[in-house]
Amino acid sequence: MSTTDPTPDSHLLGAADIRALADAFGVKPTKQRGQNFVIDGNTVRRIVRAAEVTAEDAVVEVGPGLGSLTLALLETARHVTAVEIDPVLARHLPDTVAARMPGKADAFDLVLSDAMVVTELPGPAPTALVANLPYNVAVPVLLHMLATFPSIERTLVMVQSEVADRLAAKPGNKVYGVPSVKANWYADVKRSGAIGRNVFWPAPNVDSGLVSLIRRDPPVTTATRDEVFAVVDAAFAQRRKTLRAALAGWAGSAAAAEQALAAAGIDHKLRGEMLTVEQFAAIAENKPEHTPESKPERTPENKTGNKPE
């Protein structure tokens, strides 16, 4: 079957189509950019259904590659804007869309850019983010897009299974950490299924998972997002330590950290993995004021044998 003259029922890309397009464009998937192309039409349609994309949605897709998911999104969405970092893939994707779904060519835009630096998009404001995210940059790209485009109401991303577990983890879970808390600042997060390795070319050496994020209001707090995230980063930088010790650098001393925790109503003996995003916000609100001459306190958890300077 020709890859440029599809029948109405075969516009999605299968395994033979993907390989033919890659050969035609001289594309060799690279691990550096996390390029694993989906070769199964049922999988991309499953992703679109899980994302609850409707005819009213303007979707932004990060890392469209050869267009597998793009074409499935165009079946349903009002508009799709794809952000692609690879100039070769970006150059050819509009032609693939025009050839396989000519009636949807006007509903598609492409941005050649690193998604981490994108601050504006052509076309209507995005209401949904749907993407097969490169494993090595999945979390920072996801958080950047949620922060930059508040119009995104629903997100469905395919990421490495381990990353999916971290994003969807709840307080008390051993994999709960920085990605979990920061994602929860923006949205309610949950796992939405698993994806096997055999639907990709080349097949990755890890399984993938779907993560759903439904936008909600951030915690009510007088602290800014950056101030809250600074507490989160500090708490998990030394995640085996109690909050009193882990937040000593952030607060100015262990005693100051204990003061902030007490004001927030949080036991200073807890660890960061037990706290919700709302509790991190409460800590940020209560950061004590300290003077430059205040000296670091030597605590039982910081016995270096050195005298404070």
Side-chain angles (χ1 to χ4, degrees):
M1 181 184 299
S2 169
T3 59
T4 59
D5 186 24
T7 64
D9 296 327
S10 62
H11 52 262
L12 297 186
L13 299 175
D17 300 312
I18 289 291
R19 289 181 173 86
L21 288 173
D23 286 343
F25 304 155
V27 171
K28 295 182 178 180
T30 67
K31 289 185 179 180
Q32 180 182 3
R33 288 182 172 169
Q35 292 173 331
N36 301 95
F37 304 124
V38 182
I39 58 175
D40 179 62
N42 290 329
T43 297
V44 290
R45 281 187 170 135
R46 174 189 168 193
I47 292 170
V48 174
R49 288 195 302 271
E52 300 181 359
V53 174
T54 73
E56 302 300 316
D57 279 314
V59 179
V60 57
E61 180 190 7
V62 174
L66 291 167
S68 301
L69 180 56
T70 311
L71 295 170
L73 288 167
L74 283 167
E75 286 184 331
T76 303
R78 172 170 61 101
H79 189 276
V80 174
T81 298
V83 181
E84 176 58 62
I85 192 174
D86 188 310
V88 175
L89 294 172
R91 183 167 67 250
H92 291 290
L93 184 55
D95 293 336
T96 300
V97 170
R100 302 188 74 91
M101 297 186 72
K104 287 285 192 172
D106 291 340
F108 175 72
D109 281 306
L110 186 136
V111 176
L112 173 60
S113 177
D114 181 346
M116 282 296 297
V117 301
V118 168
T119 57
E120 58 183 8
L121 296 169
T127 58
L129 165 64
V130 185
N132 171 21
L133 291 178
Y135 292 162
N136 53 342
V137 294
V139 171
V141 166
L142 173 63
L143 295 177
H144 172 75
M145 296 298 288
L146 290 173
T148 305
F149 301 102
S151 62
I152 294 174
E153 301 166 354
R154 299 181 316 285
T155 296
L156 196 288
V157 292
M158 180 160 56
V159 295
Q160 183 178 341
S161 186
E162 180 182 345
V163 175
D165 289 339
R166 290 176 181 171
L167 285 168
K170 304 303 179 187
N173 189 299
K174 64 180 181 180
V175 297
Y176 182 77
V178 171
S180 324
V181 183
K182 291 184 178 180
N184 267 276
W185 173 270
Y186 300 102
D188 292 320
V189 188
K190 68 177 183 179
R191 281 288 300 255
S192 289
I195 301 291
R197 308 177 189 191
N198 62 339
V199 302
F200 296 96
W201 174 76
N205 57 9
V206 294
D207 292 326
S208 300
L210 298 177
V211 181
S212 168
L213 301 96
I214 305 299
R215 176 85 69 169
R216 61 175 175 81
D217 291 334
V220 177
T221 177
T222 58
T224 67
R225 181 183 64 214
D226 287 346
E227 288 170 341
V228 176
F229 283 8
V231 182
V232 175
D233 290 337
F236 287 102
Q238 304 178 80
R239 64 179 299 148
R240 294 179 63 85
K241 292 189 175 183
T242 65
L243 288 167
R244 185 181 192 273
L247 297 180
W250 164 81
S253 69
E258 184 173 344
Q259 178 184 339
L261 290 160
I266 296 168
D267 185 346
H268 67 83
K269 296 179 182 178
L270 292 176
R271 292 178 171 82
E273 64 195 36
M274 303 303 297
L275 270 56
T276 65
V277 65
E278 289 80 9
Q279 288 174 306
F280 280 110
I283 297 170
E285 282 186 11
N286 288 283
K287 183 175 184 178
E289 302 233 348
H290 60 279
T291 58
E293 62 268 16
S294 60
K295 297 180 180 179
E297 177 184 341
R298 185 181 177 191
T299 70
E301 296 180 1
N302 185 30
K303 293 181 178 178
T304 62
N306 298 324
K307 294 181 180 179
E309 296 180 358

